[in-house]
């Protein structure tokens, strides 16, 4: 899977593409699954607006859970993000925490940025290559 970190204003977007490197008849590249996850640390209470502290070469952990339409877990994976990806997320979250502490920042500000992202990218699957090319950080996990 490919992982990319983008921003729209102060909002972060975690972009994940599953199967992009699996060029087989069973799972051709055009059938890759692309998911996006907008995030803003300002949505949390002020005392929780931070990431866990990393030490030395440690990385941030990412847990992915796959559910079917009934909510039954069908798969999952726990992995560590590469240091450049972790550092990109930390920089974005640090900016978000400062932004959310300023007077005038509201959830509506974040929601407007998310709406703008989807207006520009109504089909995430078709926009994936362009979005990954713009990513602050990008990595491929086998």
């Amino acid at each position: 899977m490919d992982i990319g970190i983008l921003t729209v204003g102060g909002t972060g977007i975690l972009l994940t593409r599953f199967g992009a490197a699996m060029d087989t008849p069973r799972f051709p590249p055009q059938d890759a699954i692309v998911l996006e996850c907008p995030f803003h640390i300002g949505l949390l209470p002020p005392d929780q607006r931070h990431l866990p502290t990393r030490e030395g070469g440690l990385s941030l952990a990412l847990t992915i859970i796959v559910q079917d339409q009934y909510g039954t877990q069908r798969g999952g994976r726990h992995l560590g993000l590469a240091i450049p990806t972790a550092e990109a997320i930390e920089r974005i979250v640090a900016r978000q925490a400062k932004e959310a502490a300023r007077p005038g920042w509201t959830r509506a500000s974040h929601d407007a940025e998310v709406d703008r992202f989807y207006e520009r990218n109504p089909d995430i699957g078709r926009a994936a290559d362009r979005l990954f090319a713009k990513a602050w950080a990008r990595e491929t996990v086998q």
Side-chain angles (χ1 to χ4, degrees):
M1 80 179 146
D2 288 331
I3 297 171
I5 307 299
L6 309 161
T7 54
V8 177
T11 294
I13 308 287
L14 173 66
L15 191 63
T16 309
R17 177 169 50 190
F18 297 87
M22 297 181 208
D23 190 7
T24 66
R26 186 171 156 253
F27 197 56
Q30 67 269 20
D31 291 339
I33 299 167
V34 181
L35 304 173
E36 75 290 343
C37 179
F39 64 92
H40 199 296
I41 202 75
L43 300 176
L44 296 176
D47 63 337
Q48 296 177 23
R49 292 179 182 167
H50 58 84
L51 292 173
T53 303
R54 288 187 307 114
E55 294 183 25
L58 296 179
S59 184
L60 291 175
L62 177 66
T63 301
I64 298 171
I65 298 172
V66 180
Q67 296 179 320
D68 64 16
Q69 67 271 28
Y70 305 108
T72 303
Q73 183 175 337
R74 297 296 182 183
R77 184 160 187 196
H78 184 77
L79 56 108
L81 298 174
I83 298 300
T85 306
E87 289 173 345
I89 292 172
E90 289 168 344
R91 285 191 305 273
I92 292 167
V93 167
R95 277 197 352 241
Q96 291 174 342
K98 288 179 186 174
E99 176 184 53
R102 291 187 192 120
W105 186 87
T106 64
R107 171 160 191 147
S109 305
H110 163 71
D111 291 343
E113 290 171 345
V114 172
D115 289 345
R116 193 166 53 244
F117 173 77
Y118 287 117
E119 286 169 6
R120 292 179 185 159
N121 306 288
D123 185 337
I124 299 300
R126 292 181 74 138
D129 287 337
R130 180 176 49 79
L131 292 171
F132 274 105
K134 293 180 4 180
W136 281 47
R138 178 181 175 182
E139 68 178 276
T140 299
V141 179
Q142 299 294 328

